[in-house]
């Protein structure tokens, strides 16, 4: 939608038909729902990446896709050593974590780290958008600098450097908000039950607020090596008992952020061969007719390594529906499709 940054939180809320101007309260609050962490009325939640800074520049947004075990130890170390009682860190998955601050003001300008690889980090520190938010911006910027001091010589990072890996040597908080208020998809669209399947806390959190029960799949990583077969199996089983399943696969987006063209092609081939084909082949095991929609949430071109706001291609399959004349699925052919360009809740409806 116009006026919003093309982040995954905005894109996926819009795919599901929500008016983001009414419901969006930051990425952190959505991820908190997935993690089972409550947000009190006086708390602000934020996504908190741990990132790699090299020569004063943001090298990457993921600290080289650090492992869950390493990241959890670093986040717990920060919580133990940062003494401000207003600040609470919660470990998530890989580089994606949660920060809650009591009594904070969300009217601050934050830059997602995946948008600015190669940028001097001091040029994209947090800025207050009004006088009342100055103390919040100051606190967060102080936390970034303090984290760099604490993490620089942590044994995990020294070991990563010795192994030729990127250190996780800074936090990077962004996307602030309070507790959101959302109608469920059951209330909006009248179906009885639904599930969400994703390796990403953000998507599971959107699902929680949307009334979808998360399904956790062993081996789901959010990267190219995710358990595609396990996620498809979970989706098929869920479709036997539920009206709606939101199956989300992150791999191509991460390849785009890495600027890795060959890997992105491989992830799309995996999606085709290891997700779409077995899903279609298994429809006969489900008694009901199943409609399928396939689409990205946003583009992530390898050339610029971040999201863009162009409309995304989609295909909708319904048993018995007469197809239009488009015979291949890409950004260009679909412009001749029968649906044209859909906006707001037109896609989900």
């Amino acid at each position: 939608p116009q006026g919003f940054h093309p982040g995954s939180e905005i894109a996926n809320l819009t795919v599901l038909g929500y008016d983001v101007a009414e419901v969006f309260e930051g990425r952190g609050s959505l991820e908190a729902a997935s993690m089972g962490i409550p947000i009190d009325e006086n708390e602000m939640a934020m996504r908190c990446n741990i990132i790699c800074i090299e020569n004063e520049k943001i090298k990457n947004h993921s600290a080289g896709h650090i492992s869950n075990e390493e990241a959890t130890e670093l986040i717990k170390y920060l919580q133990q050593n940062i003494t401000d009682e207003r600040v609470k860190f919660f470990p998530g998955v890989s580089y994606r974590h949660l920060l809650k601050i009591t009594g904070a003001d969300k009217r601050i300008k934050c830059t997602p780290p995946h948008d600015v690889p190669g940028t001097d980090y001091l040029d994209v520190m947090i800025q207050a958008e009004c006088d009342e938010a100055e103390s919040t911006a100051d606190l967060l910027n102080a936390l970034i600098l303090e984290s760099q001091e604490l993490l620089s010589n942590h044994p995990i990072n020294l070991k990563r450097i010795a192994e030729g890996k990127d250190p996780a040597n800074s936090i990077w908080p962004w996307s602030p908000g309070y507790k959101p208020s959302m109608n469920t998809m059951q209330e909006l669209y009248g179906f009885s039950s639904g599930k969400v399947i994703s390796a990403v806390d953000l998507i599971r959190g959107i699902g929680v607020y949307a009334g979808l029960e998360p399904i956790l799949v062993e081996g789901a990583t959010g990267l190219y090596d995710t358990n595609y077969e396990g996620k498809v199996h979970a989706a098929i089983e869920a479709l036997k008992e539920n009206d709606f399943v939101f199956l989300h696969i992150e791999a191509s987006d991460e390849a785009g952020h890495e600027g890795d063209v060959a890997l992105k092609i491989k992830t799309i081939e995996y999606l085709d061969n290891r997700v779409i084909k077995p899903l279609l082949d298994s429809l006969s095991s489900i008694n009901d007719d199943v409609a399928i929609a396939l689409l990205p949430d946003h583009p992530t071109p390898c050339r610029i390594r971040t999201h863009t706001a162009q409309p995304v291609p989609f295909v909708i399959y319904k048993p018995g529906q007469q197809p239009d004349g488009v015979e291949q699925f890409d950004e260009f052919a679909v412009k001749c499709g029968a649906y044209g360009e859909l906006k707001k809740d037109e896609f989900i409806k």
Side-chain angles (χ1 to χ4, degrees):
Q2 290 291 324
F4 286 90
H5 186 274
S8 297
E9 65 282 17
I10 299 300
N12 283 279
L13 283 167
T14 305
V15 165
L16 295 178
Y18 286 97
D19 183 341
V20 291
E22 291 186 1
V23 305
F24 181 57
E25 276 291 346
R27 182 181 287 234
S29 60
L30 296 169
E31 296 182 346
S34 169
M35 299 163 71
I37 297 169
I39 301 172
D40 294 335
E41 295 299 324
N42 65 336
E43 290 181 323
M44 182 181 79
M46 303 182 73
R47 156 66 81 82
C48 184
N49 285 40
I50 48 175
I51 69 172
C52 178
I53 292 178
E54 185 175 83
N55 299 323
E56 306 298 307
K57 299 182 185 298
I58 296 175
K59 183 177 182 182
N60 58 56
H61 68 289
S62 63
H65 292 293
I66 189 169
S67 70
N68 292 351
E69 294 76 18
E70 292 171 308
T72 295
E73 184 172 337
L74 293 177
I75 291 295
K76 289 181 176 179
Y77 176 73
L78 289 175
Q79 184 60 59
Q80 292 165 359
N81 286 276
I82 289 177
T83 56
D84 194 317
E85 294 184 353
R86 296 171 294 173
V87 175
K88 295 288 185 294
F89 291 96
F90 299 87
V93 176
S94 183
Y95 61 87
R96 312 174 185 96
H97 308 282
L98 179 70
L99 172 63
K100 288 201 305 182
I101 301 178
T102 303
D105 194 310
K106 74 172 186 177
R107 291 172 292 178
I108 51 178
K109 180 183 178 182
C110 305
T111 301
H114 55 258
D115 280 357
V116 287
T119 301
D120 190 315
Y121 81 91
L122 291 173
D123 291 341
V124 285
M125 296 280 274
I126 294 165
Q127 299 176 1
E129 294 180 332
C130 61
D131 291 343
E132 293 84 355
E134 287 285 356
S135 61
T136 297
D138 290 344
L139 170 61
L140 288 166
N141 286 328
L143 284 175
I144 291 172
L145 297 177
E146 187 175 2
S147 77
Q148 292 175 10
E149 292 182 12
L150 289 168
L151 294 175
S152 61
N153 290 310
H154 191 282
I156 282 179
N157 279 326
L158 295 178
K159 183 173 183 288
R160 288 180 66 82
I161 292 169
E163 294 172 348
K165 299 177 181 178
D166 291 333
N169 55 13
S170 181
I171 63 166
W172 199 264
W174 57 286
S175 198
Y178 311 129
K179 183 177 181 178
S181 176
M182 289 169 54
N183 289 324
T184 66
M185 294 187 71
Q186 289 91 328
E187 293 168 335
L188 292 172
Y189 305 119
F191 63 77
S192 61
S193 61
K195 305 285 189 182
V196 58
I197 302 167
S198 176
V200 178
D201 276 323
L202 169 67
I203 306 302
R204 293 198 298 264
I206 289 174
V208 169
Y209 279 111
L212 307 177
E213 181 183 350
I215 297 176
L216 301 180
V217 175
E218 186 176 355
T221 65
L223 299 172
Y224 76 95
D225 61 353
T226 196
N227 183 2
Y228 297 91
E229 290 77 14
K231 295 178 86 167
V232 171
H233 176 75
I236 293 164
E237 292 303 306
L239 283 168
K240 294 177 181 178
E241 304 292 338
N242 297 270
D243 293 328
F244 180 78
V245 175
F246 186 27
L247 173 59
H248 172 264
I249 294 174
E250 179 78 355
S252 299
D253 179 58
E254 289 291 350
H257 285 307
E258 295 297 323
D260 191 330
V261 175
L263 181 60
K264 188 165 188 179
I265 291 171
K266 180 184 289 187
T267 63
I268 295 170
E269 291 172 344
Y270 283 168
L271 180 72
D272 190 31
N273 297 325
R274 299 172 65 181
V275 178
I276 304 305
K277 184 179 188 302
L279 190 60
L280 291 172
D281 290 345
S282 298
L283 290 185
S284 61
S285 68
I286 301 169
N287 292 329
D288 296 325
D289 287 339
V290 178
I292 299 175
L294 170 68
L295 76 165
D297 51 358
H298 51 66
T300 313
C302 290
R303 180 174 56 83
I304 60 173
R305 295 177 58 190
T306 191
H307 305 169
T308 62
Q310 280 79 17
V312 294
F314 64 90
V315 58
I316 296 175
Y317 162 80
K318 294 181 180 179
Q321 183 183 54
Q322 182 66 29
D324 59 23
V326 178
E327 295 187 344
Q328 62 188 50
F329 180 62
D330 57 47
E331 298 92 328
F332 313 106
V334 298
K335 292 182 179 180
C336 300
Y339 288 106
E341 184 175 310
L342 302 182
K343 298 180 179 181
K344 298 185 177 179
D345 61 357
E346 293 174 344
F347 167 78
I348 195 72
K349 286 184 174 178

